[in-house]
Amino acid sequence: MFGRLFENLYLKVFVNIVVERERSVVYIELCNKNSVIDSAKEIFETTTINSAMNNFIASYTLESPYSYVSILDKSLMQGAAPTCVNKNMQLYFDVNNSKVKCYKDKWSYFTSKYDLNGLEKEYHQIGIDFVFSSFVILAKFFQDKIDTHMAMFILIEEKYISLSVFDYSELLYAHHIYMEKHMDTEELVMDEGNVEDAELHLEKSIDLDDVDVDDEMDSLDDFGNIEDLDSIEDIHEFSEAKDIEEEFYQEDNQKPLEQKVESFNTDYQRFLLIQNSIHHFYKDEKFKSKFVETVYIADAVGFSPDLKKYLEEEMFLSVYVRHIDLNMELCEMAKAELQ
């Protein structure tokens, strides 16, 4: 009781770190009970902690003895499995080298023990209190849809794709994809000499499966905490799909041509990886496969409209997109852990 009263005399400082391809985004909130007193956000050109990031974080954490550092799990070996039974987990991942937790006694999520130890050492200057799984964030973010739909749910990060299939809250399949592993695949890269052609492709929405690219180009003239990776409902209603699509096109049209081409390459790569993952879900006998008709995407990067278009036109899926701020999600989940 006295501990709680003493705690209420101080601000709580929540530090939230998301590591992207070449930088780290740090978001900090200072809270008094349930109110946000102040917040700050900085981007650092590093994928680990440096002196600038350490000083930025310390300038806030030194204000209170109650500070909590959260980080989004960046392990390549993280994932989720459709079981909470220990003897069945070995069918889906390396149990001996993984840290495993169950989600509502329905399914499990895991990460590499080695990578968790690496995080502790890497951020020892500030200390890590919470390591949150991408799959837990995805489950919380789409909880309203997962409980009431049979669908595929995808979290799109800059260098990762976390994909899962739920049938009315029952996890059927999950796959964590590291995009860097596939970046140099020849068929996924647009020739830089055809920049103007790529712009025409973006504007005219050419169906890639039905078109000979070379001929057409000529004709067109151009874990909760480190011991408990868990727990927040953050339910938002979707905007109309038409409004979302128009918003994407408006944002994408403002980009320079080279950025459009880069975006095209990346989103086409994402499409192929998602497509391959779905095929794996259908073919692998250890998964309880069902036909996927609907996809909900949590967009953390602001991808172009092409990814949505590919999924709808090439795979005949109904696709809905909701923007997600990963730093804010980490912060809300950390708060939930302390309640």
Short mmCIF file of all heavy atoms in Angstrom, two decimals, residues 186 190-191 194 197 208 211-222:
data_model
loop_
_atom_site.label_atom_id
_atom_site.label_comp_id
_atom_site.label_asym_id
_atom_site.label_seq_id
_atom_site.Cartn_x
_atom_site.Cartn_y
_atom_site.Cartn_z
N GLU A 186 16.76 -11.76 -58.15
CA GLU A 186 16.76 -11.03 -59.42
C GLU A 186 15.37 -10.64 -59.88
O GLU A 186 15.12 -9.53 -60.35
CB GLU A 186 17.45 -11.88 -60.49
CG GLU A 186 17.58 -11.17 -61.84
CD GLU A 186 18.35 -12.02 -62.84
OE1 GLU A 186 18.95 -13.03 -62.42
OE2 GLU A 186 18.33 -11.66 -64.02
N MET A 190 13.72 -4.14 -59.97
CA MET A 190 13.44 -3.42 -61.21
C MET A 190 14.73 -2.82 -61.76
O MET A 190 15.52 -2.27 -61.00
CB MET A 190 12.44 -2.29 -60.92
CG MET A 190 11.80 -1.69 -62.15
SD MET A 190 10.61 -2.81 -62.89
CE MET A 190 9.75 -1.63 -63.93
N ASP A 191 14.96 -2.94 -63.06
CA ASP A 191 16.14 -2.36 -63.69
C ASP A 191 16.09 -0.85 -63.56
O ASP A 191 15.11 -0.21 -63.96
CB ASP A 191 16.16 -2.77 -65.18
CG ASP A 191 17.46 -2.36 -65.85
OD1 ASP A 191 18.18 -1.51 -65.29
OD2 ASP A 191 17.74 -2.91 -66.93
N ASN A 194 15.08 1.50 -66.38
CA ASN A 194 13.68 1.58 -66.83
C ASN A 194 12.84 2.36 -65.84
O ASN A 194 11.70 2.00 -65.56
CB ASN A 194 13.09 0.17 -66.99
CG ASN A 194 13.72 -0.55 -68.15
OD1 ASN A 194 14.05 0.05 -69.16
ND2 ASN A 194 13.90 -1.85 -68.00
N ASP A 197 9.60 3.67 -67.28
CA ASP A 197 8.67 2.56 -67.50
C ASP A 197 8.00 2.15 -66.20
O ASP A 197 6.83 1.80 -66.17
CB ASP A 197 9.42 1.36 -68.09
CG ASP A 197 9.96 1.67 -69.48
OD1 ASP A 197 9.39 2.54 -70.14
OD2 ASP A 197 10.95 1.04 -69.88
N LEU A 208 1.01 -8.15 -63.52
CA LEU A 208 2.34 -8.71 -63.76
C LEU A 208 2.30 -10.14 -64.26
O LEU A 208 3.20 -10.57 -64.97
CB LEU A 208 3.16 -8.64 -62.47
CG LEU A 208 3.50 -7.22 -62.00
CD1 LEU A 208 4.23 -7.29 -60.66
CD2 LEU A 208 4.35 -6.49 -63.02
N VAL A 211 1.64 -10.18 -68.28
CA VAL A 211 2.41 -9.28 -69.14
C VAL A 211 3.84 -9.76 -69.28
O VAL A 211 4.49 -10.13 -68.30
CB VAL A 211 2.41 -7.85 -68.57
CG1 VAL A 211 3.29 -6.94 -69.40
CG2 VAL A 211 0.99 -7.30 -68.54
N ASP A 212 4.36 -9.76 -70.51
CA ASP A 212 5.78 -9.95 -70.75
C ASP A 212 6.43 -8.60 -70.53
O ASP A 212 6.28 -7.68 -71.32
CB ASP A 212 6.00 -10.44 -72.19
CG ASP A 212 7.47 -10.75 -72.44
OD1 ASP A 212 8.31 -9.94 -72.01
OD2 ASP A 212 7.75 -11.79 -73.07
N VAL A 213 7.17 -8.47 -69.42
CA VAL A 213 7.67 -7.16 -69.00
C VAL A 213 8.54 -6.51 -70.05
O VAL A 213 8.39 -5.34 -70.38
CB VAL A 213 8.46 -7.29 -67.67
CG1 VAL A 213 9.07 -5.95 -67.29
CG2 VAL A 213 7.54 -7.78 -66.56
N ASP A 214 9.47 -7.27 -70.66
CA ASP A 214 10.39 -6.67 -71.63
C ASP A 214 9.65 -6.15 -72.86
O ASP A 214 9.88 -5.05 -73.33
CB ASP A 214 11.44 -7.71 -72.07
CG ASP A 214 12.38 -8.05 -70.92
OD1 ASP A 214 12.58 -7.15 -70.06
OD2 ASP A 214 12.89 -9.17 -70.89
N ASP A 215 8.70 -6.99 -73.39
CA ASP A 215 7.95 -6.55 -74.57
C ASP A 215 7.10 -5.34 -74.28
O ASP A 215 6.99 -4.41 -75.08
CB ASP A 215 7.07 -7.70 -75.09
CG ASP A 215 7.92 -8.81 -75.69
OD1 ASP A 215 9.11 -8.54 -76.02
OD2 ASP A 215 7.40 -9.93 -75.82
N GLU A 216 6.45 -5.35 -73.13
CA GLU A 216 5.56 -4.25 -72.79
C GLU A 216 6.33 -2.97 -72.56
O GLU A 216 5.86 -1.88 -72.88
CB GLU A 216 4.74 -4.60 -71.54
CG GLU A 216 3.67 -5.65 -71.78
CD GLU A 216 2.66 -5.20 -72.81
OE1 GLU A 216 2.31 -4.01 -72.81
OE2 GLU A 216 2.24 -6.03 -73.62
N MET A 217 7.54 -3.05 -72.00
CA MET A 217 8.34 -1.85 -71.78
C MET A 217 8.67 -1.19 -73.11
O MET A 217 8.63 0.03 -73.24
CB MET A 217 9.64 -2.20 -71.03
CG MET A 217 9.40 -2.59 -69.57
SD MET A 217 8.60 -1.30 -68.63
CE MET A 217 8.53 -2.09 -67.03
N ASP A 218 9.00 -2.02 -74.13
CA ASP A 218 9.31 -1.45 -75.44
C ASP A 218 8.09 -0.79 -76.05
O ASP A 218 8.15 0.29 -76.61
CB ASP A 218 9.83 -2.55 -76.37
CG ASP A 218 11.18 -3.07 -75.91
OD1 ASP A 218 11.88 -2.31 -75.21
OD2 ASP A 218 11.52 -4.23 -76.23
N SER A 219 6.96 -1.44 -75.94
CA SER A 219 5.76 -0.91 -76.55
C SER A 219 5.26 0.33 -75.86
O SER A 219 4.59 1.16 -76.46
CB SER A 219 4.66 -1.99 -76.57
OG SER A 219 4.27 -2.28 -75.25
N LEU A 220 5.58 0.48 -74.57
CA LEU A 220 5.13 1.66 -73.83
C LEU A 220 6.08 2.83 -73.96
O LEU A 220 5.80 3.91 -73.46
CB LEU A 220 5.00 1.32 -72.34
CG LEU A 220 3.81 0.44 -71.96
CD1 LEU A 220 3.91 0.06 -70.50
CD2 LEU A 220 2.50 1.16 -72.25
N ASP A 221 7.28 2.57 -74.55
CA ASP A 221 8.24 3.67 -74.79
C ASP A 221 8.85 4.14 -73.51
O ASP A 221 9.00 5.27 -73.24
CB ASP A 221 7.61 4.83 -75.53
CG ASP A 221 8.27 5.07 -76.85
OD1 ASP A 221 9.28 4.44 -77.14
OD2 ASP A 221 7.77 5.89 -77.55
N ASP A 222 9.27 3.38 -72.75
CA ASP A 222 9.85 3.79 -71.50
C ASP A 222 10.64 2.82 -70.49
O ASP A 222 10.86 1.86 -70.91
CB ASP A 222 8.83 4.13 -70.77
CG ASP A 222 7.74 4.61 -70.25
OD1 ASP A 222 6.66 4.18 -70.44
OD2 ASP A 222 8.06 5.50 -69.58
#
